[in-house]
Amino acid sequence: MYVYKCFSETSILLCQLRVIMNNCSFEDVDRLMTSLQLVIYIPIFVFGLILNTLALVVLCFVLRKWTESTIYMTNLALMDLLLLFPMPFKMHATKYHWNADKRPFCSFLESLYFVSMYGSIYTIMCIAVDRYVAIKHPFRAKQLRSPQVARIVCVLIWVLVVGATSPVYRFHADGAGEFRCFHGFSEAGWNPALIVCLEVLGFLVPALVLVVCSVKIVRALRASQQDRATSQACVRIIYSNLCIFLVPFTPSHLGIFLQFLVRCGAIADCGAQAHISLFVQVAMSLSNVTCCLDAFCYYFITREVRAVRGTLRQSLTYRRTNSTSEV
């Protein structure tokens, strides 16, 4: 009921009033996260930087052939490196407050974080669609897939996520004193319409596309009787990649939704609010681990997909030849 009412201007004011009147303290949560975030961020930053740099070297200088897969993989590696850029500043912001004149720079860092996160999500979704077309429709893939199409799609992803994250610059627009970057977003950051777009278009739709494409690919691979060892290997990789996407990003977006309920006053219990605050901060921190996994996981799947795609094409060609000879 509260969530429904928050979509009106009157209820938004009431939600803000409930939060102001709430005397809950989160000092214990902030104290715990000060150390825990450093434990999470430092390994992610080190390994993510090494793995994504190696991935770019392999894609750009070793393979040297710009196919659809390598273009998407390069775009994903760039998105993951962009995610790592604000991480040292996030580690600094976990312990120290920033002066008021640093608000524009903080908003820029926050926008880069969201650009890279949702750019990675949409790039992974496009990889799944491209993989689905290549395996499920190998003959139509010649018309639907090309390096030029992949480049256009990647450019559109950048334009989309950069434009969609522009509201981030209003998250710290108010206030004249010291503040903590990546913390304490203003009410503009919890606008109901913005949260709905973030949850639905930013996560649920790409996740649904990824799940549907993965299921259809697995069915196609299992229906093929050619080279079962390669097919089974590809199925395992597809399920692994699906888990790598869903496991980090599902808790973080669930946490964002729960925190939205807290800001609207739908969850008023202090203990519940403290647990939600801890949950959303841990989930958002752990979601960054995808930048370490993406660097090599999607590179190896392109080799498996090429092998299986060739197998399916041979199978379809064999069937067509048999059906023609029978006629």
Side-chain angles (χ1 to χ4, degrees), residues 47-63:
F47 288 106
L49 185 63
I50 295 174
L51 292 174
N52 284 282
T53 301
L54 289 176
L56 284 178
V57 170
V58 171
L59 292 168
C60 297
F61 300 103
V62 177
L63 297 181

Side-chain angles (χ1 to χ4, degrees), residues 79 111 114-120 122 155-166:
M79 289 289 185
S111 69
F114 287 106
V115 164
S116 58
M117 173 181 288
Y118 292 102
S120 298
Y122 270 86
V155 171
L156 291 177
I157 290 174
W158 280 94
V159 173
L160 174 65
V161 295
V162 170
T165 54
S166 58

